[in-house]
């Protein structure tokens, strides 16, 4: 098997396994990986307009985050308010329950990151990041990741 093919399937296998583990860990919270990502974005960068949130979603890039947000609003985790600068726009922020859920998601993610840190030494991690950034450069998911890195912290 050529190197590029191994990389392709190993990236896919790692993504699927990571998503499987994340789904299992999120299950007691009643959240999907996409919902947990939206909560974390709002915790880290909110309040945000729906469009700005959508531009930072890696899990669901290229589509509208409306369904994700509607479910989070229905669950009482996210609040929609009229934007102060444009009353036609909506500003999304976490409720107190949403902030608690975002903290629980952060703890789950931190446990996953500890596993990754244990499996990858710093030098290999930097090489892997460079390689993955090159593979995702200019793609919708890569652009969403870049937008999240560039976004200011929560107000």
């Amino acid at each position: 098997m050529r190197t590029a093919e191994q990389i392709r399937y190993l990236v896919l296998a790692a993504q699927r396994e990571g998503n499987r583990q994340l789904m299992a860990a999120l299950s007691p919270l009643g959240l999907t990986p996409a919902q947990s990502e939206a909560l974390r974005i709002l915790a880290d960068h909110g309040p945000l307009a729906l469009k700005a949130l959508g531009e930072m979603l890696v899990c669901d890039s290229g589509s509208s985050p409306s369904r994700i947000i509607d479910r989070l609003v229905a669950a009482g985790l996210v609040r929609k308010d009229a934007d102060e600068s444009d009353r036609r726009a909506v500003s999304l922020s976490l409720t107190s329950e949403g902030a608690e859920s975002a903290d629980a998601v952060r703890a789950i993610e931190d446990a996953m990151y500890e596993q990754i840190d244990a499996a990858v030494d710093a030098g290999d991690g930097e090489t892997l990041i460079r390689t993955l950034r090159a593979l995702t450069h200019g793609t919708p998911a890569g652009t969403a990741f870049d937008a999240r890195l560039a976004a200011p912290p929560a107000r």
Side-chain angles (χ1 to χ4, degrees), residues 13-67:
Q15 187 277 331
R16 286 192 175 165
E17 181 57 25
N19 204 46
R20 185 194 63 75
Q21 290 177 15
L22 182 60
M23 286 175 32
L26 292 171
S27 180
L29 300 177
L31 296 171
T32 66
Q35 292 168 340
S36 72
E37 183 181 5
L39 287 176
R40 284 297 315 281
I41 290 170
L42 288 171
D44 293 347
H45 305 289
L48 293 169
L50 185 62
K51 181 179 181 197
L53 173 70
E55 290 171 350
M56 289 187 244
L57 282 172
V58 174
C59 71
D60 199 36
S61 64
S63 65
S64 171
S66 296
R67 279 186 240 153

Side-chain angles (χ1 to χ4, degrees), residues 4-143:
E5 187 175 5
Q6 289 184 57
I7 291 169
R8 174 186 172 212
Y9 282 109
L10 287 170
V11 166
L12 180 60
Q15 187 277 331
R16 286 192 175 165
E17 181 57 25
N19 204 46
R20 185 194 63 75
Q21 290 177 15
L22 182 60
M23 286 175 32
L26 292 171
S27 180
L29 300 177
L31 296 171
T32 66
Q35 292 168 340
S36 72
E37 183 181 5
L39 287 176
R40 284 297 315 281
I41 290 170
L42 288 171
D44 293 347
H45 305 289
L48 293 169
L50 185 62
K51 181 179 181 197
L53 173 70
E55 290 171 350
M56 289 187 244
L57 282 172
V58 174
C59 71
D60 199 36
S61 64
S63 65
S64 171
S66 296
R67 279 186 240 153
I68 295 168
I69 292 303
D70 288 345
R71 288 187 179 108
L72 293 172
V73 168
L77 303 176
V78 171
R79 185 177 62 243
K80 288 182 179 181
D81 296 310
D83 189 287
E84 292 177 11
S85 62
D86 181 356
R87 295 286 177 204
R88 296 169 297 168
V90 174
S91 178
L92 304 171
S93 59
L94 297 178
T95 63
S96 58
E97 294 86 3
E100 289 175 16
S101 291
D103 288 343
V105 169
R106 185 183 315 273
I108 289 167
E109 290 175 345
D110 285 344
M112 290 184 74
Y113 301 151
E114 287 177 21
Q115 288 180 321
I116 294 169
D117 287 340
V120 179
D121 70 44
D124 289 341
E126 290 174 17
T127 300
L128 184 56
I129 288 169
R130 274 194 311 275
T131 302
L132 293 173
R133 287 185 67 75
L135 290 171
T136 60
H137 179 73
T139 67
T143 301

